[in-house]
Amino acid sequence: MIEFRMPALGSDMDEGTLTEWLVKPGDVVSRGQVVAVVETTKAAVEVECWQSGVVHELLVPVGETVQVGTPLATLLAEGENAPAEPERHGRPRQASTSPPTPRRRWVSPAARRIAASLGVDVEKVVGTGPQGAVTISDVEHAAAAAAPRASVSTSTTERASQMRRSIAAAMSRSKQEIPHYYLSEEMPMHTALTWLTEYNSQRSITDRVLPAVLQLKAIGLAAKRFGEFNGFWTDGEFRPATGVHVGVAISLRGGGLVAPAIH
């Protein structure tokens, strides 16, 4: 029997509140699968199970606050049989005859936040995640599908507002799901800008190169040269990216912001 315990989701976490189960007894789970949502003092966090097996029993009900290390559920390992039910007063334990409780719709906290920012009714979104869970991708696809049906009379102000909501959702997702760190370093640009001024003097106004181009190319070359800064942390190990894709924020003249990736 495998015990799935409340993990420490931060160095200062002592306890957490179970807000949602994404599995039920009898479900097969694999290593790394999200099985529950836990509310800490800082945020709602999706919790992964780091063992594979079959869910035998959910030990903690939704809404209960427990200490780190408390068993949340038990799993049966591959090939393991469930233990026999204990007898009560000499008679086998009776199965409950009450009707099953309707299962709660499974939506990740991040998906709910993005659905709210995009104006998507999450209850109408078809989930493609584990056990039909609604994922961020499902919400984004639903928003994209609804976009063509929007009224053609939408004002410029409304379009700008919709763009800002989409930008906010994308940037929030980036901040929530990707660890960030920041470096600061002064970069002498005198030689580069002197060269750029001479280069642009031989070109028409529409063909001149902006200083940002030099910075973007420098970033791309640096990411290629120092591969340890360009990759992903997956399954407990660093995996270098197969290419260099530099993201750059561009302010639109008509209002709004886009952040394309230059491959």
Side-chain angles (χ1 to χ4, degrees):
M1 187 77 71
I2 302 171
E3 285 189 336
F4 168 56
R5 297 175 177 270
M6 171 71 80
L9 302 172
S11 59
D12 57 347
M13 175 182 168
D14 297 319
E15 63 181 18
T17 301
L18 180 69
T19 60
E20 188 173 7
W21 277 114
L22 302 180
V23 293
K24 66 182 185 303
D27 285 351
V28 177
V29 298
S30 56
R31 184 178 185 275
Q33 179 179 333
V34 175
V35 297
V37 178
V38 170
E39 185 83 29
T40 69
T41 56
K42 295 182 178 179
V45 182
E46 295 178 332
V47 179
E48 300 174 352
C49 181
W50 292 104
Q51 294 90 14
S52 298
V54 178
V55 179
H56 174 58
E57 185 178 6
L58 304 180
L59 304 176
V60 175
V62 170
E64 185 169 323
T65 301
V66 296
Q67 297 291 315
V68 170
T70 301
L72 300 179
T74 56
L75 285 74
L76 300 175
E78 184 178 356
E80 182 179 5
N81 295 321
E85 291 286 348
E87 294 186 355
R88 295 185 177 182
H89 306 294
R91 292 180 298 173
R93 184 176 178 180
Q94 297 287 331
S96 172
T97 57
S98 59
T101 302
R103 292 180 62 183
R104 182 181 176 184
R105 185 169 176 78
W106 298 326
V107 185
S108 72
R112 285 188 184 278
R113 287 191 291 269
I114 291 178
S117 67
L118 296 178
V120 173
D121 184 354
V122 75
E123 299 301 327
K124 297 180 180 179
V125 177
V126 177
T128 60
Q131 287 78 49
V134 176
T135 65
I136 292 174
S137 179
D138 296 330
V139 172
E140 292 175 340
H141 288 161
R149 297 195 297 269
S151 173
V152 294
S153 62
T154 303
S155 68
T156 302
T157 302
E158 290 173 337
R159 286 197 298 271
S161 178
Q162 292 173 357
M163 174 176 284
R164 288 192 175 278
R165 284 199 298 269
S166 299
I167 293 169
M171 298 307 292
S172 296
R173 177 182 177 185
S174 170
K175 287 289 186 181
Q176 292 162 2
E177 298 184 359
I178 303 174
H180 283 64
Y181 66 93
Y182 302 89
L183 302 176
S184 178
E185 181 73 21
E186 289 190 4
M187 299 171 57
M189 296 287 291
H190 177 73
T191 302
L193 293 178
T194 299
W195 172 87
L196 185 63
T197 299
E198 182 179 350
Y199 179 81
N200 281 336
S201 67
Q202 304 172 22
R203 305 172 70 89
S204 65
I205 293 178
T206 56
D207 291 335
R208 290 177 183 175
V209 177
L210 297 176
V213 173
L214 304 183
Q215 296 172 332
L216 290 172
K217 183 166 184 178
I219 292 171
L221 292 175
K224 183 177 181 180
R225 180 176 177 183
F226 301 98
E228 60 270 28
F229 287 101
N230 181 38
F232 306 91
W233 186 264
T234 307
D235 295 333
E237 64 178 350
F238 175 79
R239 298 186 179 182
T242 56
V244 176
H245 311 307
V246 181
V248 55
I250 299 177
S251 177
L252 303 179
R253 291 183 178 179
L257 181 78
V258 293
I262 302 175
H263 288 209

